[in-house]
């Protein structure tokens, strides 16, 4: 059965819905506002945390600004200040690793009296965190100096390739080969390939090379989770801690790879890793944890936010319901159980609140921003003035498989069509029903076809 609908100006329906979105966005705004109280304009960094952590603080600020464009002017000023001051600052706190496998067991923090011009230092993962942060700033501001800086950092990272076991060294003294720097290297290559079209071939080749090595390195274990690194003596998986950020960065990297190569198998691999990580790293209430909690120190309090940020990216590419529930559940737990005075957020998301600094705050902000991004679902039902044709089968498939808040979507779609039927706005034409893709483009896997200007679009715009 096919029924046709022709829509007049009087029945033009444009609904902007924010299904339970308001409180997620307001929570994120309150938490980010508190995070900024640790921002030090004189250094361009966030006090109480380390060098690479400040890159993550900048990233979460950029992600929040993407949801609330009213913040763009203020955030752009912070990007510019950090870009100018941080690379010349000698006040960056550096944490020395005692054992890479125990990232929370750092030695006493020391203050380095050394600037990092162009954001280059002795650690390739640090460089990649900053490069990805500057790409986020570029995406918001279109200021090409941020993109060029990311490209410069990538170029420096290539000098660490082809370590003892293959892949990228963690540091310039060549002491360890870990998962995180290689995941970041992959993500950065794919990001740059999609933003520097004149050099896309170069970065695509790098992305393919990195993924080929990583996927065969043994870092992904038989449970589909990722261990900390490789044993330099055997070049095999070191069996080290399954940290959340190692499960997270790879998700965003694989989504970028999928978009770069037009290959959904990368998303399928990401979903396997995400599902395994959510199972392995959740408590009985489904809240994300680290194995060192509640006594995590050093870098570890930053890790969970990295996972949530990239899990959100995967959700946008897959519309996986398990992921959506997980993101919202963790945002709720943070707000209800791990919140102190002045919207400070602690390291243990299942609670109780114990302490906060820029690291715990930015990590939790990542989770809140991810939830807000999911829930700001503007229903955008755009009817062309030409006729459209839809079948109940198409609508049912769309509602049952593609859209969040299925019952509400179904009600809105059917009410819209029957509204037009009641007003005798009938005709013949072709319909196009789709969901907005992760990069804002129309998803290719639509449920009907587009025919000229005869368009029926239902989109979910973050």
């Amino acid at each position: 059965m096919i029924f046709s609908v022709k829509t007049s100006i009087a029945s033009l329906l444009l609904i902007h819905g924010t299904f339970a979105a308001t409180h997620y966005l307001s929570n994120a705004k309150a938490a980010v506002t508190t995070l900024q109280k640790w921002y030090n304009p004189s250094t361009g960094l966030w006090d109480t945390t380390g060098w690479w952590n400040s890159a993550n603080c900048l990233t979460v600020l950029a992600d929040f600004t993407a949801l609330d464009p009213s913040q763009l002017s203020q955030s752009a000023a912070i990007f510019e200040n950090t870009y100018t001051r941080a690379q010349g600052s000698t006040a960056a706190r550096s944490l020395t690793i005692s054992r890479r496998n125990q990232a929370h067991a750092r030695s006493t923090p020391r203050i380095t009296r050394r600037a990092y011009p162009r954001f280059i230092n002795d650690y390739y993962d640090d460089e990649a965190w900053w490069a990805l942060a500057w790409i986020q700033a570029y995406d918001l501001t279109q200021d090409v100096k941020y993109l060029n800086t990311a490209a410069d950092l990538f170029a420096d990272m290539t000098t660490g390739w082809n370590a003892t076991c293959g892949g990228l060294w963690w540091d310039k003294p060549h002491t360890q080969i870990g998962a995180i720097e290689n995941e970041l290297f992959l993500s950065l290559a794919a990001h740059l390939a999609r933003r520097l079209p004149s050099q896309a071939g170069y970065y695509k080749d790098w992305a393919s090379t990195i993924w080929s090595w990583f996927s065969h390195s043994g870092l992904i274990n038989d449970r589909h989770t990722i261990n900390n690194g490789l044993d330099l003596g055997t070049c095999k998986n070191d069996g080290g801690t399954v940290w959340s950020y190692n499960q997270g960065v790879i998700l965003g990297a694989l989504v970028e790879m999928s978009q770069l190569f037009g290959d959904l198998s990368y998303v399928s691999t990401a979903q396997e890793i995400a599902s395994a990580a959510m199972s392995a790293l959740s408590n009985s209430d489904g809240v994300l944890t680290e194995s060192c909690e509640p006594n995590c120190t050093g870098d570890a309090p930053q890790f969970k936010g990295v996972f949530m940020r990239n899990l959100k990216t995967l959700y946008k590419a897959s519309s996986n319901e398990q992921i959506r529930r997980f993101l919202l559940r963790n945002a709720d737990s943070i707000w209800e159980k791990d919140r102190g005075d002045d919207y400070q957020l602690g390291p243990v998301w299942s609670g109780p609140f114990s302490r906060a600094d820029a690291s715990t705050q930015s990590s939790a902000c990542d989770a809140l921003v991810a939830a807000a991004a999911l829930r700001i679902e503007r229903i955008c039902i755009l009817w062309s003035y030409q006729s459209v044709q839809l079948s109940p089968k198409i609508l049912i498939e769309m509602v049952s498989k593609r859209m969040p808040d299925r019952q509400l979507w179904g009600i809105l779609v059917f009410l819209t069509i029957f509204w037009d039927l009641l007003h005798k706005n009938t005709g013949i034409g072709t319909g196009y029903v789709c969901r907005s893709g992760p990069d804002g483009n129309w998803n290719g896997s639509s449920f009907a076809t587009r025919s000229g200007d005869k368009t029926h679009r239902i989109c979910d715009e973050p």
Side-chain angles (χ1 to χ4, degrees), residues 163-166 177 213 216-218 229-238:
T164 297
C165 303
I177 305 170
W213 175 82
H216 294 93
S217 67
L230 297 179
D231 185 312
L232 291 182
T234 63
C235 290
K236 293 183 179 180
N237 189 314
D238 64 7

Side-chain angles (χ1 to χ4, degrees), residues 77-139:
I78 292 169
F79 301 155
E80 180 66 33
N81 187 68
T82 293
Y83 186 83
T84 301
R85 293 182 177 273
Q87 60 181 310
S89 173
T90 59
R93 191 179 75 166
S94 175
L95 300 176
T96 303
I97 290 186
S98 56
R99 281 185 61 198
R100 179 67 185 276
N101 188 41
Q102 296 177 335
H104 66 290
R106 299 289 178 103
S107 62
T108 302
R110 60 183 172 83
I111 301 297
T112 59
R113 298 302 174 189
R114 173 185 169 192
Y116 298 139
R118 296 165 40 231
F119 297 92
I120 290 174
N121 70 355
D122 289 338
Y123 302 95
Y124 293 118
D125 56 344
D126 287 6
E127 293 182 0
W129 291 118
W130 279 106
L132 290 170
W134 292 126
I135 286 176
Q136 291 296 90
Y138 166 76
D139 286 348

Side-chain angles (χ1 to χ4, degrees), residues 52 56 97 100 103 106 123-126 128-129 132 157 168-170 176-188 210 213-214 219 226-230 243-250 253 299 303 306-307 310:
W52 77 274
N56 278 269
I97 290 186
R100 179 67 185 276
R106 299 289 178 103
Y123 302 95
Y124 293 118
D125 56 344
D126 287 6
W129 291 118
L132 290 170
M157 292 180 72
L168 183 74
W169 287 106
W170 169 57
Q176 300 178 53
I177 305 170
I180 193 60
E181 63 272 12
N182 284 283
E183 294 178 32
L184 289 163
F185 195 32
L186 174 64
S187 185
L188 184 54
I210 299 163
W213 175 82
F214 190 93
L219 285 166
I226 299 174
N227 294 95
N228 197 64
L230 297 179
W243 297 109
S244 63
Y245 77 154
N246 281 331
Q247 324 310 305
V249 171
I250 194 65
D299 284 340
F303 295 168
V306 174
F307 179 73
N310 288 278

